[in-house]
Structures are given as C-alpha cells and as structure tokens.
Amino acid sequence: MIVMKFGGSSVADAERIRHVASIIKTYADKKPVVVLSAMGDTTDHLLEAADLAVTGKVDISRIEKLHKDTAEALEIPFTDAAALLGELKMVLTGISMLRELTKRTRDYLVSFGERLSVRMAAAYLNTIGLPARFYDAWDVGIVSDSNFMAAELLDDVWQTIPAALNGYRNGSVSEIPVVTGFIAKDPSGYITTLGRGGSDLTATVIGAAMAAEEVQTWKDVDGILTADPRVVSDAHPVPEVTYEEAAELAYFGAQVLHPRSMMPCRKSGTPVRVKNSYNMTSPGSIIVENHAGPVAAVRAITAVKHVTLIDIVSTRMLGASGFLAHIFNQFLKWNISIDVIATSEVSVSLTVNTKADLSGLLADVQKVAATECKTGKAIVTVICDTARASSIIADGFAALARERINVQMISKGASKVNISMICDDSEADTVVRTLHAAYFGKNGDTAK
Ligand code: ASP
Ligand code: MG
C-alpha cells in the first residue's frame, strides 16, 4: 500500500485532475490511498465567502463556477457536488443572518473544499476505468480534538484508520479510496480542520497507521531542493533527507512539508517521498530516519526574512541560570516564539518574527536587562551534518568574507543538523547564493 497526496494546485482544474488521475493509474498496482486538498485556491475562497457572509452577503459564484466547469470538462455527473454546494449556500445564508462566525462554523465551511474535490476526482477516476470511492476523513477514522482551525489528531487514529481501511488492504474492497485531506471530526461529531496545509498530515497519518510502503506528496518541483530556485538558479534536488533535517528545513523557510506532518511517519518509520507531478520520472526526495550511506556534509540552504534580532544584556548581577530562566519565562508569558538564539553568561541574542507584538514582553524584560531590537533581519540556515561543522563553517565563512559580508550572529543548532546565521534582509539572497556556490559550486568541496 502507498499513500499519494496531491495539493490544491495539483487538482486546480480539469486538466490537472486528468494529469493526477494518470499518475494514480501508473501506481494502481501499489494499492494507492489518495489524499486530496481542495481545488486550487478554494480554501481561501471559502474563507473569503465566510467573511463576506458576516457582512450580510452570500456569494459562492466563484466556487460554484470552478467546480461546475471542471465537472463539465471531465464529463462527470455534478449531483454530489451540487448537493454540497446547496448545503454550503445554506450555511453561508445562516451566517449572513446571524452576522456571526465561530471557529467551529469556519471549519465546517472550509471543509466543503476538500469534500468537493474528492467527489469530483473519484467520479473521474471511475470514468477512466479506475474504480474509486470518495471518503470524508471521518469515514476513514480521522478523528481530532475540538481545537477548531488547528485541531490535533487523537491517538485513536492508530486503531480507527486501520479498522476503516482494512477491507481495502485485504482486498475485500477494491475501489481506490480518495480521502479528504485537512479535515477531521471531533468526538462530538463536529467538523474540525488540522490547520492550513493540513492535508500533508492526513496523508502521513494514514500512511503511518496503515504501515504503508511509502507516503508520496506530489508537488510541482523536483522534491526538496538545495535552495530556493528563485534565488539560486542552479539549485538542485536533494535525494535524501532525514526527518530531522526535513523538519529544520520546514521551520527555516523551505516549502517542504509542515514539520508536524512528519511526526506520524517518523514514529512508524514510514518513508515520505516528495515528488514532482510535472516530472514523474524524477525520483524526487525521500525523507527517512537515518541516511543509508555516506552523504555530503551540506544538504540545503534556506532563508527566512523579516525577523527581528533582540539583544538582551543583564543589568543585574544575576547568575546565568537565573537570568536565562527569567528571560525565557517572559517569552512564555507573552507567548512569543524564539527562532534562533545565542547566549553568553549575562547576555542573550535571539530572533523573533517581526510581526510579533513585543511591547509587553520588552517592558517586562527591561526590568532586569537592557534590550536592543533590530528589525529587517534574515535567518540563513545551512542544513548540514554539524559533526563536520568546522569545515562547513570555514568554507562558508571564507566565501562570505570574500564577498565582504559580516553576519551578525551565528548559532549551531542543538538539533545537530543546522547552522544558522543572521544577516540583513537585503543581504540574505547574496548570502544564500554565496554559500550555495561555496558548498555546491564547482570548487565547493565541503559537500563532497
Ligand atoms: N486546503 C487546505 C489549505 O489550503 C489544506 C491543504 O491544502 O493542505 O490549507
Ligand atoms: Mg490548499
């Protein structure tokens, strides 16, 4: 058994759905379970429709047209989708009358996107001779807590998913399951969502619970790349990364999988493969627990822009333990997440997202320390084997020195797979390009 997940852009219109169907067909003998996102930007459009309804207006024309046009082009019946669209309109009408939108109702509303796409795709698969059956997530055992808009899956899924899909596994059910990503139900039967991009998690939890051979997430690039191809023209796919490296990549700005979505497969040891739907023959990247053999020292380079660097220097003679404990407690109190950090006995430099409101935090911290905030910074992260840090840092910094770039802070991540540095936003692309050339370019030998 394998799990094949296709995101919104992969099922954006009739042509893309045809293409996805042809990909599924080539894997038909692998017992695929298909997980789909909503078509194109339907999730955004549903959220917009919800906001509009709060102002008293009901408009689903864009969503209706996309699905109707697609059904027509694919020559599939529209009855199932039409029934759902009718229900959607009723919900929006309700909101427009109440002028009130709870998180629970919002989740119910956005669920229509995925519920529509699986019905259309399953109908189409049937017309091309691939027997398929659509499932809403809860019909294959995807149950969550009631934290609407960011629900966590319940541990029950490890039993409920295999119970639901066992018939397909043992051959008594032959239709390919086409399952809604992103959505779930809580124990009271209310629809929840797993957070934006949550379809990856649906795919990985099904793959893990079913002990699938692998989970494939299909994208429109050749897997995980050594750098953002918009910044580095010769960025190339990385054949293999570990879960830990993939999680760090995702935290530090690469468009891989949501870090949370890696957890189920990591637990079960199920490999996750990132593949390119525009280039099927490319092997893509595989995410595994440990590298199979010797690998290059550097895996990839990422950048996150728009961060604020905060320098905090103790103004009291607190010991290091008391000082750091106190400072971190303030971050906890104000719920501000720290990304990169470097410390000394009585001072600490750290980065936070520029969007965070720091006023309360800074007022508290300033009771014991002097602070300085610098906005317009970027974090450049080298995902690598930090056991080889000396040569990685030597080569990278020699190249940066030649470019006369001085980074402002460096942190060798505790995860053993990242070295992060802070530079100005305006320098970030140059830093990434310079490091990429140093590690992967003609003369780059660190990576070999
Ligand atoms: N459709 C949802 C979103 O756009 C879930 C997903 O695509 O994974 O966030
Ligand atoms: Mg989407």
Side-chain angles (χ1 to χ4, degrees), residues 89-342:
K89 207 163 193 170
M90 263 164 33
V91 182
L92 286 168
T93 308
I95 296 169
S96 74
M97 282 154 63
L98 296 170
R99 304 266 172 131
E100 183 185 83
L101 181 59
T102 60
K103 283 187 174 180
R104 190 172 90 190
T105 308
R106 203 182 277 268
D107 275 357
Y108 176 29
L109 260 176
V110 288
S111 77
F112 284 93
E114 270 69 12
R115 289 154 79 201
L116 283 162
S117 72
V118 296
R119 282 159 176 78
M120 315 251 313
Y124 180 67
L125 287 172
N126 280 302
T127 68
I128 62 161
L130 271 186
R133 190 191 286 186
F134 70 81
Y135 290 90
D136 292 324
W138 43 89
D139 291 328
V140 295
I142 311 268
V143 284
S144 75
D145 65 16
S146 310
N147 186 15
F148 296 101
M149 294 177 73
E152 295 276 349
L153 294 170
L154 300 181
D155 282 338
D156 302 20
V157 294
W158 296 96
Q159 284 85 46
T160 51
I161 294 172
L165 288 174
N166 200 32
Y168 182 59
R169 177 161 51 193
N170 70 26
S172 61
V173 174
S174 60
E175 291 108 328
I176 297 172
V178 183
V179 182
T180 55
F182 180 50
I183 62 177
K185 261 186 187 173
D186 75 1
S188 317
Y190 290 113
I191 296 177
T192 60
T193 62
L194 308 174
R196 294 305 302 265
S199 298
D200 285 336
L201 179 59
T202 311
T204 53
V205 79
I206 292 176
M210 297 306 290
E213 201 179 309
E214 73 178 21
V215 173
Q216 304 174 341
T217 63
W218 290 80
K219 313 245 154 186
D220 47 14
V221 289
D222 278 335
I224 297 170
L225 302 180
T226 49
D228 183 339
R230 289 165 303 183
V231 177
V232 178
S233 55
D234 60 342
H236 54 269
V238 188
E240 183 188 87
V241 300
T242 63
Y243 291 115
E244 193 173 18
E245 290 164 350
E248 294 289 323
L249 272 161
Y251 282 125
F252 290 109
Q255 302 284 323
V256 202
L257 306 186
H258 193 282
R260 202 161 60 114
S261 70
M262 238 95 62
M263 278 191 274
C265 283
R266 190 165 187 189
K267 197 163 155 186
S268 64
T270 313
V272 178
R273 196 180 287 277
V274 185
K275 286 196 52 99
N276 187 354
S277 60
Y278 289 102
N279 184 10
M280 273 188 68
T281 50
S282 150
S285 305
I286 191 150
I287 309 173
V288 291
E289 182 63 37
N290 293 305
H291 287 297
V295 283
V298 176
R299 212 72 57 244
I301 303 158
T302 62
V304 182
K305 294 187 182 168
H306 310 299
V307 302
T308 296
L309 180 65
I310 312 178
D311 291 325
I312 302 170
V313 182
S314 173
T315 47
R316 295 200 185 170
M317 283 312 198
L318 288 177
S321 58
F323 174 63
L324 289 178
H326 181 78
I327 298 296
F328 289 150
N329 267 322
Q330 307 313 308
F331 279 81
L332 175 67
K333 174 179 164 193
W334 293 97
N335 192 21
I336 289 173
S337 158
I338 299 169
D339 293 318
V340 178
I341 183 161

